[in-house]
Amino acid sequence: MARRAQPVGRRAGAAVALGLVALTLGTLGAVAWRAVGTWGLVEGLGPADWAALRFTLLQAGLSAVLSVALAVPVARALARRRFFGRRALIALMGAPFILPVIVAVLGLLSVFGRGGILNAGLAALGLAPLSIYGLHGVILGNVFFNLPLAVRLILQGWLSIPAERFRLAAALGFGPSQIARQIEGPMLREVIPGAALAIFLICLTSFAIALTLGGGPRATTIELAIYQAFRFDFDLGHAALLAALQFAISGAAMLLALRLTLPQASAAGLDRPVERWDAASPWLRAQDAVLTTLAALFLLTPLALIVTQGLPTLLSLPGIVWTAALNSLAVALASALLATAAALALALAISGPRPALYEAAGMLPLATSPLVLGTGLFLILNPVIDPSRLALPVTALSNAAMALPFGLRALVPALREVEASHGRLADALGMRGLARLRLLIVPRLRRPLGFTLGLAAALSMGDLGVVTLFAPPEGGTLPLQLYRLMGAYRMNEAAGAALLLLILSFALFWVFDRGGRADADT
């Protein structure tokens, strides 16, 4: 692979790697300089900051534990059953990853909020209403997003167990408890720690969920405290101090997550379909059916309510919403193109000498968060230019950086396969540089390139992070405008804007991903 690396790939990859280092570590340096220059790192933290730190760790820890604990029985049910709609349900497990957070929050409010269907049912029974705001609301939002991720991660562990082990267990007369102890238990001990820590890392930076469902000072995360220091106090030194603290926590969690999420070694087998004789009892069948039904209802009900409530007002939304939608589309397209081009350049460089350096540079954005990145960019730009004038470009840049590691994960294995199967022939034909890129690599990478474009566009379309720091009062993107409508209690218009955002996000992903799949084998 090193022999086939092309200079054009190395040069572009080096430029992208240096840009990522400058963007992440450079903004962190600006944050640290401002934080240390204003206070000592420890002396500058007040009681409210320590409370925010405790709440951040508490909500992330509880969310990770609950997500994994609920995912284990659901993943087991999906692993040992075959039923109509199973593939669609498993595919649905990936939908929350590209679902705009603010849309999901509005859907959860439609179910669990003050005027939601749950409280309507309680009122009909003469019971007191429940409040979704506070710690339990934040955890509910985090579990909604991360339960599907946990199911997918744990399900992969179940599917990696060879069918021959279950055949041998059946021959030995193992029951469900013995199967769980001898076969499933060791797999879960390998998979669960990494899955839980990955979700913990995601929940550390759940800004939009805490912003909308936190409900007050007692439910403030570090990310929310950064936003409050910017928007309400305009205390840049305090915001920088909190951003440095957030980076330290996220970086430590990321390093630990990478250490625990090593690829699981697949046991040898003949790739036969798994038949679970141990789960043939009517009781276990009913149990699995109930679990899969409840999981599907938990995921689908908020989305169904968004559609039904948003349809009546979708075409009568005010002009400011449509302007925000155009802004979001521009930001999403720019972010997708930038993230995909950068990921491809890094992937080409990783196929050459010193791949670890390029891989480390590509993973750097995982160690930070959009608000920390935005804080550093604001500190750098503020003395030179009005940051609100660069709200959309900075948002696109930040979103591209956040999506790049996921694109890299999709492109690197595919590029290695292309080089392994066609690299020698390309070398023999003297195909190098741009010709190799245009004639061999890009056509063979249409699937992962389309997926990367769609994923980056959808993630950028629904992002509510950096834009909250930079946008002027009347400008911004569609997620920010949706949040403003919710804050003004214009819930009918908010439902229409949420449906519009949902349609645009999934449409972008579908168009780009389908474009990558069409004629992919030619």
Side-chain angles (χ1 to χ4, degrees), residues 327-341:
N327 289 340
S328 287
L329 279 173
V331 168
L333 292 174
S335 176
L337 291 173
L338 186 58
T340 304

Side-chain angles (χ1 to χ4, degrees), residues 373-385:
L373 199 63
T375 302
L377 290 173
F378 193 98
L379 293 173
I380 293 172
L381 295 173
N382 192 42
V384 180
I385 190 174

